[in-house]
Amino acid sequence: MMRIEGLAVALALAAPGVAAAQTVPPAAAQTAPTDPARLAMAGKVVAKLVPQGVYLRMMRDAFPQMMEAMIGQMSGLTPADLGQKDNSGKTIDQIAAERDPAFRERMTIMTRVIGDEMGKVMDKLEPRVRVALGKSFARRFTLQQLGEMDTFFATPTGSAFAQDYLLTFMDPEMMQEMSAAAPEMMRVMPAIMKRVEEETAHLPPPPKPETKQ
């Protein structure tokens, strides 16, 4: 069950822009000179694509629903379906209920708390995301391209698109696809961990957690 909890955190961090906000850009990108005019125009464009409070709404309002859909998708599977050795034939939902009768309620609370807390974090990081994305846009697009984006976003259609672009990643259709992919993600985890073990075999074993005397 800890794998499901870990997947919940991973999905939270995988929300659009969250991972990017935690990534340090290459040194060359940090020091590359940027045309002030392109940077200013890029800032205008990004401000429309990342409106104030969008990450808070994504994490607080949509993430718990996505996780509920994912858990529901996986509840009818068996450990064998996920590549684990198990001949009981019991579903994950049945096993979880036997081990922890409060599992579903616990997961519901956990995803709500993750959404709330990650929303607060991203709300604070949001201005930095806009600055970083503005620099990226200024580096990737010409002044003419940025101007055309700005012109489009000033139209009713462009404004509607920019305002809700990030939120579409949390729409039911996207949630359904992400939740449908969750079993496959869980299924490949043993093989991934085995490969990690093989490719780190030449390293000394990690230190064991210190225990209090």
Side-chain angles (χ1 to χ4, degrees):
M1 294 309 101
M2 288 301 295
R3 289 187 178 183
I4 297 179
E5 295 173 6
L7 189 57
V9 177
L11 287 172
L13 296 175
V18 176
Q22 302 176 74
T23 303
V24 178
Q30 293 181 22
T31 59
T34 304
D35 177 10
R38 286 169 65 178
L39 191 58
M41 184 59 72
K44 290 179 62 178
V45 170
V46 168
K48 295 172 182 176
L49 279 173
V50 188
Q52 186 173 357
V54 66
Y55 285 118
L56 181 62
R57 285 184 287 154
M58 286 173 62
M59 299 308 302
R60 182 191 60 201
D61 301 336
F63 176 74
Q65 298 177 37
M66 181 181 71
M67 284 304 305
E68 284 293 324
M70 184 202 78
I71 294 171
Q73 183 81 19
M74 295 184 63
S75 62
L77 300 177
T78 66
D81 292 329
L82 301 178
Q84 300 179 25
K85 294 181 179 180
D86 182 85
N87 297 319
S88 69
K90 295 180 180 179
T91 65
I92 291 175
D93 204 39
Q94 291 171 331
I95 295 172
E98 290 175 358
R99 295 179 179 177
D100 178 12
F103 172 74
R104 291 303 291 266
E105 183 178 1
R106 198 182 311 280
M107 288 297 296
T108 298
I109 294 172
M110 186 192 75
T111 54
R112 174 178 55 78
V113 171
I114 290 176
D116 282 347
E117 296 303 318
M118 288 299 297
K120 293 174 185 177
V121 171
M122 285 309 301
D123 195 48
K124 292 179 180 179
L125 292 178
E126 195 174 90
R128 293 165 54 185
V129 172
R130 276 191 287 270
V131 170
L133 195 56
K135 291 178 180 179
S136 177
F137 272 40
R139 179 167 46 84
R140 289 179 177 273
F141 303 109
T142 66
L143 183 59
Q144 179 179 342
Q145 290 171 328
L146 292 166
E148 290 173 356
M149 292 180 201
D150 187 53
T151 299
F152 171 62
F153 291 151
T155 67
T157 298
S159 177
F161 169 81
Q163 187 74 21
D164 287 344
Y165 168 68
L166 286 177
L167 293 174
T168 61
F169 284 89
M170 293 294 192
D171 277 352
E173 295 81 4
M174 291 296 292
M175 290 185 195
Q176 181 178 354
E177 288 304 315
M178 292 190 72
S179 62
E184 186 60 29
M185 293 169 65
M186 298 287 284
R187 190 176 291 116
V188 300
M189 281 305 297
I192 291 174
M193 296 312 299
K194 182 179 179 181
R195 179 179 171 186
V196 170
E197 182 179 352
E198 291 173 350
E199 296 195 16
T200 59
H202 64 288
L203 299 175
K208 297 181 179 180
E210 295 183 4
T211 55
K212 294 182 179 180
Q213 299 296 329

